[in-house]
Amino acid sequence: MVGLGRQGNGASTPGGGAARRVVRILPVLLILLGFVFDVLTPPSFTGSPFFSAAPLIAAPLFTFRLTALTGVAASLAVVALHFHNGTSWKAEALTELVTVLTVSGLALLINRVVRRSGERLASAREIAEAAQRAVLPTPAERIAGLEVSARYEAAQADASIGGDLYAVQETPYGVRLAVGDVRGKGLGAVEAVAVVLGAFREAAETEPTLEGLARRLERALAREGVRRDSLDAVEGFTTCVLGEIPAGAQVLRLVNRGHPEPLLLYADGGLAVLAPAEPALPLGLGELSAGTADRVGEWAFPAGSTLLLFTDGLTEARDTAGAFYDPAARLRGRVFPGPDGLLDALSTDVRRHTGGGATDDMALLAVGRPGEGQPERRRTVPVVRRDGL
């Protein structure tokens, strides 16, 4: 089965909720501050700048109605202060009131523009998510006795559709899987993802070897490139790892076509980096690699171990100092309650590393072989949020 796992449930950075609450009450604080300032200072000083700022702050944060109410409150504060000071009849009072009313009108206009832009952005994100889920539906929790967990972590504040992909499928040759990354974003990347996954679905059932499977995917990209007159029409190339876990055998076979190296996590906390014996070019660059045959790597896949595959959005995640995230170093020596627990911990750790500011999407796929006598785990489904990493 081909699948997209759970959508990233991006957690807010520490203190983010408190900061938002302070910002949302800022218009009220400005009106109060302007009132106090006007009362406590000589008549030559005025709190008008505070009253004018209040509706402008409210415009991008509040609804149209609340923005209008903020403008009315600021205007009434100006009228009340001049009435209290006995200066209602002076030209300065009328000037201040007209200024606040004018700024309030501009704030309402800004509010309308911001709301419409926000609606368009939300619509674009919903369309992007729907397109991605249509191409990559959710995988089964268990496939041929293996535990499976997968998810797509979208970059924060990024409405573009990414080219990350993964697939898990039971075949006559065992469970076969793929994790890849198409160059580029947008609908072109989604089209390329559809080409690769469509070829994988068919070829995984019929090709007896991983080498043959890789060649089928290569030919599919080449055909699509000819049909569109250019490989750039399908984003040029795709880095990819193809895997095979034969039924009844505790072994794992991989073909790596220019993709980040998968990790194998053992039940005792040990970790192995599954590096290919020889580097290979990504899919779609067959002409450059003519005469070079794919080499299949084979590793033991014992009970209780978990295979982790990912795209470069994980390894290229940086902290504030510019240091890249190193999954092998961060995961070595740790034990997780199955694939789902591993991806939960990994997603949380990446957000902590980046401060919630990831710049690239990442696809994660974990496949675990349950230990002897280990009970079946039930996956919990988190609340889906749209604010990314």
Side-chain angles (χ1 to χ4, degrees), residues 101-156:
L101 288 173
T102 301
V103 172
S104 297
L106 290 174
L108 292 175
L109 180 61
I110 293 171
N111 178 271
R112 281 301 178 99
V113 172
V114 169
R115 292 297 163 186
R116 288 176 180 174
S117 298
E119 290 170 0
R120 285 195 293 268
L121 180 58
S123 177
R125 285 177 174 166
E126 289 175 0
I127 293 171
E129 290 175 6
Q132 202 125 37
R133 289 181 181 276
V135 175
L136 300 170
T138 304
E141 296 180 15
R142 290 183 73 90
I143 299 177
L146 300 174
E147 296 181 330
V148 178
S149 183
R151 68 188 63 178
Y152 191 98
E153 297 279 357
Q156 188 174 14

Side-chain angles (χ1 to χ4, degrees), residues 238-274:
T238 300
T239 66
C240 186
V241 171
L242 300 174
E244 179 180 274
I245 305 171
Q250 295 191 1
V251 297
L252 165 69
R253 301 187 184 108
L254 297 176
V255 165
N256 192 322
R257 298 293 297 269
H259 198 76
E261 298 158 351
L263 304 178
L264 188 59
L265 288 73
Y266 298 104
D268 62 357
L271 183 147
V273 179
L274 308 185

Side-chain angles (χ1 to χ4, degrees), residues 5-10 129 133 381-387:
R6 305 179 313 186
Q7 193 76 7
N9 60 345
E129 290 175 6
R133 289 181 181 276
V381 180
V383 175
V384 175
R385 295 179 57 174
R386 297 180 191 224
D387 53 353

